[in-house]
Amino acid sequence: MGRVTVRRPVRRISAAGERRRPDSLAAEEPLELRVGGKALAVTMRTPGHDVELAHGFLLSEGVLGSREDVAVARYCDGVDDQGRNTYNVLDIALAEGVAPPDTGVERNFYTTSSCGVCGKAALDAVKLRSRFSPAASEFTVKTDVLTQMPDRLREQQKVFSSTGGLHAAGLFTSDGQLVVVREDVGRHNAVDKVLGWALQAGRIPAPDLGLLVSGRASFELVQKAAMAGIGLLAAVSAPSSLAVELAEENGMTLIGFLRGDSMNLYTGDQRLLT
């Protein structure tokens, strides 16, 4: 449980010659998420912070709105060929009165580590409406604070430093303090983990926080931020066209290509102070 790296032998070949040595790889294992004993989704993730991942996933799908909506989360069933628990099956029991996921939340087969909306049972279930309006967020941040955030995020990417194979997400305050950072092979899983942390900490909705991601800003990441009431999403790489459209529709600030001392501001000028 919690194994995030795996050591494997590698044959290193370069212009200077070749040699054999051990290499650290980011671990990737399936996690089956169940709600009330019913299988809901399978995602390929980096083990660790699985309960946060489940809370964040269910928040971003509109199932949860607070930590009180979950009665208990427990590992179950999954065993290896020696009968040991693999910790790859997690069951969430909802609190009394909390409605179970709609059928549209169910994922056909599995969700890959790179796509947060793959396998949606119905196309009209892809676009969700948040119970926490991100447009109401009064979060603001200065440009000179924001340009420091990618380096601060990288400093806390301990597993990335040894493997080079993980995405990261972090929630930060207007003065540049990172309150939580999580890594995962899947960018959407990393976001689910930080949102799950916030939900468990009683910080959802999060109009006072910004979300920073180490890769690109896709539609599903904007959607997840919106479902948590977050008004600003900043990405080190590019946004997609649909991500920009969704951010604009939800009154969010979307920033891309946050590198060095520059960035691209696509929507929501009012939250960025120059």
Side-chain angles (χ1 to χ4, degrees):
M1 180 180 175
R3 183 181 66 186
V4 296
T5 62
V6 177
R7 298 284 282 179
R8 298 283 296 182
V10 63
R11 182 182 174 189
R12 172 74 171 174
I13 303 172
S14 68
E18 62 179 77
R19 62 189 179 95
R20 297 181 183 274
R21 61 178 179 84
D23 191 29
S24 293
L25 305 177
E28 183 175 29
E29 297 181 10
L31 176 69
E32 178 182 327
L33 176 60
R34 299 177 183 176
V35 175
K38 181 181 178 182
L40 182 68
V42 177
T43 186
M44 302 302 295
R45 96 307 187 190
T46 299
H49 304 106
D50 291 335
V51 175
E52 291 178 353
L53 192 159
H55 277 69
F57 173 79
L58 292 174
L59 166 69
S60 65
E61 294 291 346
V63 178
L64 304 180
S66 72
R67 57 187 173 187
E68 287 76 20
D69 289 343
V70 175
V72 66
R74 64 184 181 89
Y75 289 100
C76 56
D77 281 13
V79 295
D80 61 17
D81 54 5
Q82 298 182 23
R84 296 173 299 190
N85 198 324
T86 62
Y87 296 99
N88 284 339
V89 181
L90 186 67
D91 190 21
I92 300 291
L94 300 177
E96 184 177 354
V98 178
D102 293 333
T103 55
V105 176
E106 295 178 1
R107 304 299 173 97
N108 298 329
F109 190 46
Y110 73 93
T111 302
T112 71
S113 59
S114 61
C115 178
V117 295
C118 297
K120 276 279 193 177
L123 288 177
D124 59 2
V126 169
K127 204 169 189 179
L128 303 172
R129 184 170 297 277
S130 175
R131 67 180 80 182
F132 309 119
S133 172
S137 168
E138 297 182 356
F139 180 89
T140 58
V141 63
K142 295 181 179 179
T143 54
D144 58 348
V145 171
L146 198 54
T147 54
Q148 299 174 34
M149 297 310 300
D151 287 340
R152 294 181 182 178
L153 184 70
R154 178 63 65 86
E155 289 172 0
Q156 295 195 36
Q157 290 182 251
K158 297 179 180 179
V159 183
F160 178 87
S161 297
S162 62
T163 67
L166 290 181
H167 296 280
L171 295 175
F172 64 95
T173 61
S174 59
D175 61 359
Q177 177 188 356
L178 279 166
V179 295
V180 61
V181 173
R182 294 290 182 261
E183 296 178 279
D184 201 278
V185 288
R187 61 173 63 88
H188 68 284
N189 287 337
V191 171
D192 280 342
K193 287 178 178 181
V194 297
L195 296 186
W197 173 90
L199 187 73
Q200 290 185 299
R203 299 192 65 166
I204 294 295
D208 58 333
L209 296 174
L211 174 63
L212 174 66
V213 296
S214 62
R216 64 186 180 88
S218 59
F219 165 85
E220 68 267 25
L221 299 193
V222 173
Q223 179 172 275
K224 288 177 183 295
M227 296 299 284
I230 294 172
L232 182 145
L233 170 61
V236 172
S237 194
S240 68
S241 62
L242 194 56
V244 175
E245 291 177 20
L246 186 64
E248 186 172 46
E249 181 180 316
N250 281 278
M252 297 171 62
T253 298
L254 181 60
I255 294 166
F257 293 105
L258 179 58
R259 303 171 183 174
D261 60 357
S262 66
M263 67 194 76
N264 286 355
L265 175 61
Y266 293 90
T267 64
D269 298 52
Q270 74 277 12
R271 294 189 183 90
L272 191 63
L273 307 179
T274 57

